[in-house]
Amino acid sequence: MNHSHQTRGSRYVAYLRVSTQKQGQSGLGLEAQKVAAQEYLATFGGEILAEFIEVESGKRSDRPEFTKAADYAELANATLLVAKLDRLSRDLHFITSLQKRGIRFKLCDLPEIDQLTIHILAAMAEHEARMISIRTTQALRMAKERGATLGNPLLAVQRNRDTEAANEQRVLKQQAWQSKILKVIDHLEHSEGLSTCQALADALNERGLRTARGAKFSLPIVSRLRRSRNSIMDKGDK
């Protein structure tokens, strides 16, 4: 086996990744990656400067530890050492970003392959993932053409719930804004002696204040606000 592409004084930053919190806590999968890294060093020599462990759920796309490992490798002019290609990423973007930054990386399970081959392997893995997605979409379309009922039968109910929640959120936002603007109107009435709706609207506009929808204040808007305040006060008195 030709090891000429390695140098005995190589410096590495190890990046280890486990897929779930449970694996991260138990060490399953992690230990195997550490052993792979040690065996790689035993064969090719060199030292590990730092080790970064990513514990991620399948839903997360951001990888803070990967970012730290890549930055460390770049600053230390070291090589990123990964147990297996799928531990680095099946996402071609991750591989490409490393190559664009000039960060070298090695795979413990495929030590002899060069950077171009790694890029091709990652591209093939990404292509396969895309083909699975396309095949799934085609199968669904064909099923739909055959008249099969697709999707969630409770989707309409869910949409109604979502609309209700959005409306409720909008009402709460409007109420919060109204409470704040009424305090400003109270202040203008008491401190500046403004009593007409038009004078209050002009004063609000001069101060750069806007309605909840971002429009300028008008006499009818201020009138409505004052009426709502009075009705709240009347209810409080009762």
Side-chain angles (χ1 to χ4, degrees):
M1 191 181 282
N2 176 21
H3 297 166
S4 60
H5 63 294
Q6 299 290 334
T7 58
R8 287 281 148 188
S10 292
R11 288 137 40 95
Y12 297 98
V13 173
Y15 173 68
L16 313 170
R17 182 167 71 90
V18 286
S19 302
T20 64
Q21 194 67 40
K22 195 174 176 184
Q23 270 191 310
Q25 287 165 352
S26 66
L28 295 172
L30 200 57
E31 205 52 48
Q33 290 177 65
K34 286 186 177 184
V35 168
Q38 290 306 320
E39 287 177 351
Y40 180 93
L41 291 181
T43 305
F44 297 106
E47 62 170 329
I48 290 178
L49 302 178
E51 185 181 86
F52 294 87
I53 300 169
E54 194 92 72
V55 180
E56 61 164 21
S57 71
K59 294 172 186 174
R60 278 185 58 173
S61 58
D62 63 315
R63 295 196 188 145
E65 295 305 308
F66 170 81
T67 304
K68 289 179 198 170
D71 289 346
Y72 196 112
E74 187 174 28
L75 291 169
N77 194 25
T79 301
L80 201 60
L81 186 63
V82 186
K84 292 174 70 177
L85 179 64
D86 67 351
R87 293 298 87 188
L88 180 59
S89 179
R90 289 191 181 92
D91 183 345
L92 190 58
H93 168 73
F94 276 92
I95 310 291
T96 309
S97 68
L98 289 176
Q99 291 179 327
K100 279 182 181 172
R101 288 168 65 182
I103 298 172
R104 300 179 305 278
F105 55 98
K106 284 288 174 186
L107 305 172
C108 296
D109 60 334
L110 297 166
E112 294 298 320
I113 68 171
D114 59 17
Q115 303 292 290
L116 177 62
T117 314
I118 290 173
H119 194 93
I120 291 167
L121 285 172
M124 285 171 67
E126 192 178 66
H127 173 73
E128 181 55 30
R130 199 180 300 118
M131 290 309 294
I132 289 168
S133 175
I134 290 169
R135 284 195 292 269
T136 304
T137 305
Q138 286 173 340
L140 286 170
R141 193 178 67 242
M142 287 170 72
K144 195 174 181 181
E145 284 169 1
R146 288 197 303 271
T149 304
L150 300 177
N152 181 357
L154 299 174
L155 188 59
V157 177
Q158 184 60 49
R159 277 183 181 152
N160 286 339
R161 279 191 198 139
D162 290 347
T163 306
E164 284 168 16
N167 287 339
E168 197 174 310
Q169 197 66 33
R170 202 159 36 244
V171 168
L172 289 171
K173 197 173 176 183
Q174 173 72 21
Q175 286 173 346
W177 172 82
Q178 189 169 305
S179 172
K180 288 174 190 170
I181 205 69
L182 282 172
K183 286 175 186 170
V184 177
I185 289 172
D186 283 345
H187 173 75
L188 291 171
E189 285 173 335
H190 293 105
S191 68
E192 299 191 21
L194 301 178
S195 57
T196 69
C197 292
Q198 188 60 60
L200 286 165
D202 292 342
L204 290 166
N205 290 328
E206 280 166 18
R207 285 162 174 75
L209 296 169
R210 294 292 178 264
T211 67
R213 294 183 178 178
K216 284 190 172 185
F217 284 92
S218 64
L219 187 152
I221 291 171
V222 175
S223 179
R224 274 200 304 272
L225 284 166
R226 290 174 93 185
R227 274 202 309 274
S228 69
R229 177 188 62 187
N230 293 340
S231 66
I232 291 166
M233 287 168 71
D234 288 343
K235 284 177 187 172
D237 290 340
K238 291 172 188 175

